[in-house]
Structure formats: C-alpha cells, structure tokens
Amino acid sequence: MPFHDMLNHGVMSVSIGVPMAAMPYRPSAEPGAGTHCAGCAARHIGLCDALVDIDLPELAAAAQWRTIRSGALLMTEGDPARYFFNINHGTAKVYRDLPDGRRQITGFVTAGYFVGLGMPANYSASVEALEDVRLCRFDRLTLRALFVTFPSLERKLLIATGNELLIAQAQMLLLGRKSALERLASFLLAWIEPASPAGTRLPMGRSDIADYLGLTIETVSRNFTILRQRRLIAISTEQEITIVNCAGLTGIAIGAAA
Amino acid sequence: MPFHDMLNHGVMSVSIGVPMAAMPYRPSAEPGAGTHCAGCAARHIGLCDALVDIDLPELAAAAQWRTIRSGALLMTEGDPARYFFNINHGTAKVYRDLPDGRRQITGFVTAGYFVGLGMPANYSASVEALEDVRLCRFDRLTLRALFVTFPSLERKLLIATGNELLIAQAQMLLLGRKSALERLASFLLAWIEPASPAGTRLPMGRSDIADYLGLTIETVSRNFTILRQRRLIAISTEQEITIVNCAGLTGIAIGAAA
DNA sequence: CGGAATCTTGACGTTAGTCAATTTCTGTGG
DNA sequence: CCACAGAAATTGACTAACGTCAAGATTCCG
C-alpha cells in the first residue's frame, strides 16, 4: 500500500495526451476500450467511486483527461489553484522548496489519489510526474457545484483528506524522530510488496527518496547497503527491490530495535 | 495565528468540568451567560459556525460539554475512536510515540480546532491538555448522521481537514530540511503575535517545543539564547516571549539567511 | 561500445545529541 | 516578605550521526 500526500494541483505546463484541450469530456470521444468512466481502470479507486454508474456522466462532463509526460509538472507552487486532479495511472512527487534550493517531498501520488485537496487560492506545493501520468482534471469551481448535487463526492474527499492527514502524521514522526536506517526501512515497507519474490520496481530514484526522507542521497545509498548486507532486502537491478526479511525490516521501521 | 494538527479524539480518562456526564446538552442547563451555543465564545470559530442560529439546537443535542484538566488525556493512541472533539478554550498537544519513548508532537490544538478529523476505527494519536481545556464532545456516529441533514457541517470539516494538511506539509518541510535555528524561528512566528509589545505567553514548555520541532530540549534552549542574543526576540519571564525583529526572524524561518 | 547520469564508497567536517552541572523559576510555607 | 524545595531551563564539554566533498563504479541508452 503505497504512500502519498500532496495538496494542490494546477495551472500547468504539460503535454496533453488525449487531444481534447479545453473540450469537455464526451463518452464517444474517449480513448481505450471502456470509452467512458464506468470502464476506466481507476473507476473504483478514484473520485468516480463515490457515484453509482447512472450518475457518472455528470461527473464525466466536468472531467478532462490528460497525460502528463515523465518529468513534466502537474502544478507549480504559488500558481492559482484552478484545477483539481485525480490520478488514474503513474506516479508523481509532491514537494515544497526553500529559497536556497533545499527540497522536501511531502508525498508520492499514484492511481486513485487526489491532488488539490484542501487547497486555498494558490497551490501550496509543486507536483512533478516521475513517469507518464494519466489523470482526470476538474475545474475546481465546477467540481464544487457538483458537491451540491452529489454530497457523496464531498464525503469521499473528506475521507481521502483524512487519510492524507494520517499519513502526514506518520511522516512527521519519521522526519522528526527516526534515524536514517529507520526512515529507509519505513519507506521500503510502504512501497514494496512484502510477499512478491520477483521484486518491486520503485518509480523514484535515490535523490527523490532522500528528499522524501529528509536525508542526503549519500546517506540513503549507505543505508541501502546496510539493509542489503544484513539480508533484510535484496537489490536486483538498482531500483528493483525485494524484501527478504519483512519482520526484521518492520522491527527497524517502528524503532523497536535499538 | 497559531498552528495545530491532530487527528483523533477519544474515549478518555478525564475529569469532567460541567456535571452532565452522559446527558445530552440542554440549553437550559448550560453554564455561563449565553446558556446556549449561540452565546458560546467559540460560536464563530468552531463546528457550529457552519450552521445558522436556527439550526444550532440540533447540533447542540449531539454535543456534550467537557472540561479537561491540565495534564489529562483527551484521547489515547490505539483506543476505539468513539468521539470527535471541538476545542472551545485552552491548548492541547497531539503526539505519537515510538516504542522506545521517542515522541513527536504533530500539532497543538487551540480554540476552534477539531480533534478527530479523518479518523479510522481507532485513534491514531494521543492528545493531552497543556492547560485546562473546554470542549464539545460529539459521538462520531451521531455526528455522521447530522451530515445528511446539514451538508454544511461536512463542508466545514473538509475545509478544516484541508487546512490541517497544509500545515502538516509545512511541518514536513520544517522537520526534513530546516536547521534547529530555522525551526525555532518558524515556530515562534506561528505562535507569537508579531505586534504585541507586551509579549505572548506560550502554553507549552521547552520539552514540548523540542518534541514538536524534532529536537532535544537542550538544542531548543541554546537556540532561544541565540535568537535573544541577536535581538530578534526578547524573553521576559521564561515562556513570555516578544518578537523584536519580525523581518529578521522571518528571514531565518524561511531559510533565506545563509 | 561509449558517454552521461545515477549510484556507491571513502575521508573528513558540522550539527545536533548526550551527559552532567549549574542557574533560574515556581510555588509553598514559615 | 523571605526561605526553601522541586521542577524547568540554561550552559558546557564531549560524542555520534549525518552532511559535504571527492573519487570511483554501475547502469542506462543511444
């Protein structure tokens, strides 16, 4: 169960995958086999999950499909917060920067996550795609109007925002009180399928992991080596990781081991 | 504008100020002058702010007034999350502990704040009163039922939860990337009225500040001294602080000064 | 196969933590 | 009002963990 966080979403300078720039979504114009939200791969993990199939067209009319290329920005901190996003596929990083360049990644967002929760007038963070990202973009005013018709949308967002807050709390404990080794162990447990023998490919590099854990890239690398040498994890090809000793890794992550 | 955070709220072992243990709130039985929610000091900063006066009685019927003595727990991490709280007066700390005793305070809650946002079945943090705290306690199931009648309550909570998330993001940046001096400067700016020449009394001690900023009590103390020696703040009587040079303090807080 | 980017490893420096007094504050009672 | 005791805060000397700087090794892709 991967992590996440985020906050805003935004006016963006991104490449557009589906050629329907400012055009409202139309079922008949949809790409892929499903051709409408009910057939979307993210149908039951995204915002639409709050609605029954019969009500989907109204939500779909407010949604715009986009594909964000790897490395492109979904939103930039400080920009007017016009849009709200629902990720359907791919991974992006949410981060804040200090004036001198120090960066803190506050979360990674994957399929099903909302970007733009609890936003004020301007985005409070930047979001960059780590791989190609498919998403639904909503105009915030349009979406707010839909809340009146479908209170279940608002409930879904309230639950999602609450979950974000829980994850943020856990991350504050990690950043404020855990050692480098404990941070890395916690991170891997959240991202790697514990059972998978084949190994899981991490979508982010060492630099992003460092910015997420409040460490430097060198410290992350050193602690990867420590975990590997202690036979707690196995590293096949760089970011292809396998958890070898889940109990041992968990012990380190929760701070049980001295 | 003080900070905050929080998450759960809970089954609690607390002293009860207003003698109406499990009895539903009744206007005629209310303490103080206002004698009902419309006269409450927190009328326009709490949950009730989402309702017009005419609808208040319905919300009031679901609320129970409580006073939590300084040092008592509002909730304990892991306990079943039966209640939701709305602080009316006083300050409390929200924290998580690691098994070996390391503690991270994820936020301080004051008048107007909600405790128990986005909660799962069990409280995910403990909350302890730093001074006597007055609050309204709601049964979570009862409150959820009210959401159907008054969608504005849910909207209020969504906005509040979103604000929490923004604050949590800022705190992650602080914990992950700021120096001890920058952390303390950021904290003081959030808690001390910049203009007040008389000085503001902090409700928390050095130990709580340390647990909030991810530092030790000694490091907090040393950096208080540094800020005082640089004439950025003045310390009258221990936790009675005045901001002397707001611009200078802000410069440190945002990481502008090298 | 080659070059750039990413990752790893090593030597050394800096910041904050640890351990230990000492000082200051708070509150209580004489 | 002052004296005292306990708690909280400050200060100092030293240590440990992580950051910085600098090579090298690997991986990735054309």
Side-chain angles (χ1 to χ4, degrees):
Chain A
M1 188 254 304
F3 256 34
H4 154 248
D5 190 274
M6 131 284 298
L7 264 228
N8 314 289
H9 42 292
V11 170
M12 53 197 183
S13 51
V14 298
S15 57
I16 297 173
V18 181
M20 39 197 323
M23 183 174 63
Y25 163 85
R26 296 272 179 259
S28 60
E30 221 39 34
T35 74
H36 71 334
C37 290
C40 171
R43 168 69 179 87
H44 291 295
I45 53 175
L47 189 60
C48 350
D49 186 45
L51 299 182
V52 293
D53 286 359
I54 194 76
D55 291 327
L56 274 182
E58 269 205 74
L59 181 60
Q64 298 176 324
W65 284 67
R66 288 287 186 283
T67 296
I68 313 296
R69 292 276 164 228
S70 178
L73 292 169
L74 278 77
M75 69 185 67
T76 302
E77 186 175 353
D79 281 357
R82 280 200 57 196
Y83 302 107
F84 178 90
F85 299 96
N86 190 185
I87 308 285
N88 293 327
H89 185 83
T91 310
K93 61 181 176 188
V94 183
Y95 59 90
R96 281 190 181 199
D97 288 335
L98 287 174
D100 64 2
R102 282 174 284 175
R103 171 169 297 182
Q104 180 65 39
I105 292 180
T106 55
F108 296 101
V109 291
T110 58
Y113 279 102
F114 302 110
V115 185
L117 291 175
M119 283 302 87
N122 293 71
Y123 296 125
S124 64
S126 301
V127 180
E128 180 188 321
L130 293 176
E131 44 193 351
D132 286 3
V133 167
R134 292 201 299 273
L135 51 78
C136 284
R137 193 181 82 170
F138 299 89
D139 183 274
R140 303 221 310 157
L141 295 179
T142 307
L143 191 60
R144 190 175 307 174
L146 281 176
F147 286 169
V148 179
T149 317
F150 304 109
S152 59
L153 289 179
E154 199 155 27
R155 181 148 316 143
K156 176 94 179 175
L157 290 184
L158 181 55
I159 292 170
T161 311
N163 286 337
E164 294 303 308
L165 205 45
L166 289 185
I167 293 170
Q169 265 198 331
Q171 192 69 359
M172 284 188 258
L173 175 61
L174 180 148
L175 293 169
R177 291 304 184 201
K178 288 187 183 177
S179 71
L181 193 65
E182 291 165 348
R183 293 182 202 199
L184 186 57
S186 302
F187 170 77
L188 291 175
L189 283 168
W191 275 92
I192 311 289
E193 323 295 331
S196 169
T200 306
R201 178 179 175 77
L202 293 175
M204 71 292 289
R206 299 288 186 271
S207 176
D208 288 332
I209 295 174
D211 283 339
Y212 181 61
L213 298 179
L215 301 169
T216 61
I217 181 175
E218 294 93 335
T219 298
V220 169
S221 186
R222 281 185 242 274
N223 285 281
F224 259 114
T225 301
I226 292 173
L227 291 178
R228 181 167 44 77
Q229 287 174 343
R230 291 193 193 171
R231 314 279 165 175
L232 295 167
I233 62 170
I235 305 175
S236 10
T237 164
E238 201 75 338
Q239 29 198 250
E240 192 86 6
I241 314 281
T242 309
I243 292 181
V244 175
N245 181 346
C246 187
L249 201 60
T250 304
I252 292 176
I254 65 176
Chain B
M1 186 252 306
F3 255 36
H4 155 249
D5 189 275
M6 130 285 298
L7 262 230
N8 315 287
H9 42 291
V11 170
M12 52 196 186
S13 51
V14 298
S15 58
I16 296 171
V18 181
M20 36 198 323
M23 183 172 65
Y25 164 86
R26 298 269 178 261
S28 60
E30 221 38 35
T35 74
H36 71 336
C37 290
C40 172
R43 168 70 179 86
H44 291 295
I45 53 176
L47 188 59
C48 351
D49 186 44
L51 300 181
V52 293
D53 287 359
I54 194 75
D55 292 326
L56 274 182
E58 268 205 73
L59 181 61
Q64 298 175 324
W65 283 68
R66 288 285 185 283
T67 295
I68 314 294
R69 291 278 164 227
S70 177
L73 291 169
L74 279 77
M75 69 186 66
T76 302
E77 186 176 353
D79 281 357
R82 282 200 57 196
Y83 303 106
F84 177 91
F85 299 95
N86 190 184
I87 308 285
N88 293 327
H89 185 83
T91 309
K93 61 181 174 188
V94 183
Y95 60 90
R96 281 190 181 201
D97 288 336
L98 288 174
D100 64 1
R102 280 174 285 175
R103 172 169 296 181
Q104 180 64 40
I105 293 180
T106 56
F108 295 102
V109 290
T110 59
Y113 280 103
F114 302 111
V115 184
L117 291 176
M119 282 304 86
N122 294 71
Y123 295 125
S124 64
S126 301
V127 180
E128 180 186 321
L130 293 176
E131 45 193 351
D132 286 3
V133 167
R134 292 200 300 273
L135 52 79
C136 284
R137 191 181 82 169
F138 299 89
D139 183 276
R140 301 222 309 158
L141 296 178
T142 306
L143 191 60
R144 189 176 308 172
L146 281 176
F147 286 169
V148 179
T149 317
F150 304 110
S152 59
L153 289 179
E154 199 157 28
R155 182 148 316 141
K156 176 94 179 176
L157 290 184
L158 180 56
I159 291 170
T161 311
N163 285 337
E164 294 303 308
L165 205 45
L166 289 185
I167 293 170
Q169 264 198 330
Q171 191 70 0
M172 284 187 258
L173 175 61
L174 180 147
L175 293 170
R177 292 304 184 200
K178 287 187 183 177
S179 72
L181 193 65
E182 290 165 349
R183 295 182 200 198
L184 186 57
S186 302
F187 170 78
L188 291 175
L189 283 168
W191 276 91
I192 311 289
E193 322 294 332
S196 168
T200 306
R201 180 180 175 76
L202 293 175
M204 72 292 289
R206 298 289 186 271
S207 176
D208 287 332
I209 296 174
D211 284 338
Y212 181 60
L213 299 179
L215 301 169
T216 61
I217 181 175
E218 294 95 334
T219 299
V220 169
S221 187
R222 281 185 241 276
N223 285 283
F224 259 113
T225 302
I226 292 173
L227 291 178
R228 181 167 44 77
Q229 286 174 342
R230 291 194 193 171
R231 313 281 164 174
L232 295 168
I233 64 170
I235 305 175
S236 9
T237 165
E238 200 75 341
Q239 27 198 250
E240 193 86 7
I241 315 281
T242 309
I243 292 180
V244 175
N245 181 346
C246 187
L249 200 60
T250 303
I252 291 176
I254 65 176

